[in-house]
Amino acid sequence: MAKSDSSTDPASAPLPARRRLLDTATRLFYALGIHAVGIDRIIAEAGVAKATFYSHFPSKDDLVVAYLEEQDRIGRAAVAALPKLPPRRMLSAILGRISTAGMAGDFRGCPFLNAAAEYTDPVSPVRRAIDARRAWYHGVLRDLLAADGDPAPEVTASLLVALSDGLLEIAYLDDPRSVPALIEAGLARLLVAR
Amino acid sequence: MAKSDSSTDPASAPLPARRRLLDTATRLFYALGIHAVGIDRIIAEAGVAKATFYSHFPSKDDLVVAYLEEQDRIGRAAVAALPKLPPRRMLSAILGRISTAGMAGDFRGCPFLNAAAEYTDPVSPVRRAIDARRAWYHGVLRDLLAADGDPAPEVTASLLVALSDGLLEIAYLDDPRSVPALIEAGLARLLVAR
DNA sequence: ACACTACCAGACAGGTCTGTATGGTTCAAC
DNA sequence: GTTGAACCATACAGACCTGTCTGGTAGTGT
């Protein structure tokens, strides 16, 4: 079976069709919403046959989960790639990612919050992917706050999660240019130096 | 024309069919999402003929706008009905509405944020209804903060808007029982007593 | 008696949705 | 050269979508 041949290992090198499908789905789901984009459009813009699509993803929901899991991996990698700094600088850098994302012209809010608005079953695979993302983000903030000496890192972390969610909505719906100053002001008031 | 006959004024007494349609649409749109609910289901559960529906609402989007505008009116009336108290007590009461809403078993987040996730055109009537709601809410908070002596009421109001949006998401996706304490802690830190 | 309004019931058109099935092409391994 | 995997193209089924249309009924004002 030549399974030991590492130069053509299919697991380490994602196949073109799957990659194109996921890229196209990511672009369309994020820009237009999930229910608003059909499989026919995704396969047409990806240049993939329908049977090929269904050989890679058993159903549309599997594609949605793959889309969210990839966004989650990208976010975690970006945070992991941040230079090691004191906890407060790390928190500032992590929250700062909201303003840089919001400045992009095609910003349309948080992919996870948008998906949660469309998927109402709390035990569905889509919602579980969203839960995993939120739990990871809360944990990152909590650990940094604990290292910073916050007396109640769980509470402060939840407040920073709420602030992050809300600033993403402000960047999407109100004015993204106001976000950098709001991050600074919000952190200054929510972090307990008092 | 008998337009002056006030006892049968059709504007002051909403007609049963329209009322039933709006009630049913509100329940289904909120619980399941907007794109996920079709006209056929709404008219079936409301017990209204399709022609009657389209005589009251020229299109589905008009029904969506009517749904959001009614939610907006309800929210404004609830705030207007609050007893007159000092600014900080008023802010506490307004934010406190998030926790009471979140405790309801069928809570599914903010209707406006959920609708914004599904409607991507920023100049569509749906998004304009959302904009109006957010501008009103920001203005209410800003005026209370100014009366409270906040030196930068616009910034603090935006932070409280973000906190409100985020706490609604926490109540929907994470744990609604944590929200009351987060409101108290968030207000204590964001309002400048310092 | 007559007209008018509001409403219900259901068929219909034209399109889109997810998912399955059929058949043909390319390419690499052996 | 043969086999098999991966892929493309397309047709199809069955359901659902929005919106229009026809026709019938009940009540109300004149």
Side-chain angles (χ1 to χ4, degrees), chain A residues 3-180:
Chain A
K3 274 271 174 65
S4 58
D5 184 348
S6 64
S7 69
T8 57
D9 187 354
S12 68
L15 298 165
R18 185 179 219 277
R19 184 69 261 157
R20 266 174 1 237
L21 284 167
L22 201 42
D23 288 344
T24 305
T26 296
R27 175 171 52 83
L28 294 176
F29 284 161
Y30 182 65
L32 303 174
I34 296 171
H35 286 356
V37 177
I39 294 295
D40 283 346
R41 179 162 180 188
I42 293 170
I43 65 172
E45 297 200 15
V48 169
K50 194 172 253 192
T52 303
F53 167 79
Y54 278 102
S55 79
H56 284 290
F57 303 97
S59 75
K60 182 186 177 181
D61 274 7
D62 290 276
L63 176 63
V64 176
V65 170
Y67 151 61
L68 291 176
E69 287 179 343
E70 181 162 81
Q71 295 304 305
D72 189 25
R73 279 194 303 273
I74 291 171
R76 295 191 195 209
V79 168
L82 288 174
K84 277 281 197 300
L85 293 168
R88 294 205 172 208
R89 302 278 300 266
M90 294 291 290
L91 289 167
S92 204
I94 290 171
L95 273 284
R97 284 171 38 78
I98 296 168
S99 59
T100 58
M103 295 298 188
D106 55 352
F107 185 68
R108 217 184 71 77
C110 172
F112 300 93
L113 296 182
N114 288 349
E118 295 200 63
Y119 281 79
T120 68
D121 180 0
V123 300
S124 67
V126 170
R127 284 286 292 274
R128 294 204 186 277
I130 295 164
D131 291 343
R133 163 69 163 213
R134 294 179 69 79
W136 164 77
Y137 189 61
H138 181 97
V140 167
L141 298 178
R142 179 202 55 216
D143 293 347
L144 286 169
L145 290 164
D148 189 51
D150 190 300
E154 292 280 351
V155 170
T156 307
S158 289
L159 287 173
L160 290 182
V161 169
L163 181 69
S164 300
D165 289 345
L167 291 178
L168 287 163
E169 299 287 359
I170 284 179
Y172 171 35
L173 298 172
D174 302 335
D175 183 4
R177 293 165 304 172
S178 70
V179 171

Side-chain angles (χ1 to χ4, degrees), chain B residues 13-78:
Chain B
L15 299 163
R18 184 178 219 276
R19 184 71 262 156
R20 262 171 9 234
L21 285 167
L22 202 41
D23 289 344
T24 305
T26 296
R27 176 172 52 82
L28 294 175
F29 284 160
Y30 182 66
L32 303 174
I34 297 171
H35 286 357
V37 177
I39 294 296
D40 282 345
R41 177 160 180 190
I42 293 170
I43 65 171
E45 296 199 16
V48 169
K50 197 172 250 192
T52 304
F53 168 79
Y54 277 102
S55 77
H56 285 290
F57 302 97
S59 75
K60 182 186 177 180
D61 273 6
D62 290 275
L63 177 64
V64 175
V65 170
Y67 152 60
L68 291 176
E69 286 178 344
E70 181 161 82
Q71 294 306 304
D72 189 25
R73 279 195 302 274
I74 291 170
R76 296 192 196 210

Side-chain angles (χ1 to χ4, degrees), chain B residues 125-189:
Chain B
V126 171
R127 284 286 291 274
R128 293 202 187 279
I130 295 164
D131 292 343
R133 163 67 164 214
R134 293 179 69 79
W136 164 78
Y137 189 61
H138 180 97
V140 167
L141 298 178
R142 179 202 55 216
D143 292 348
L144 285 169
L145 290 164
D148 190 49
D150 191 300
E154 292 281 350
V155 170
T156 308
S158 289
L159 287 173
L160 289 182
V161 169
L163 181 69
S164 300
D165 289 344
L167 290 178
L168 287 162
E169 299 287 359
I170 285 179
Y172 171 34
L173 298 172
D174 302 335
D175 183 4
R177 293 165 302 173
S178 70
V179 171
L182 293 174
I183 292 173
E184 192 177 13
L187 278 176
R189 301 188 201 182

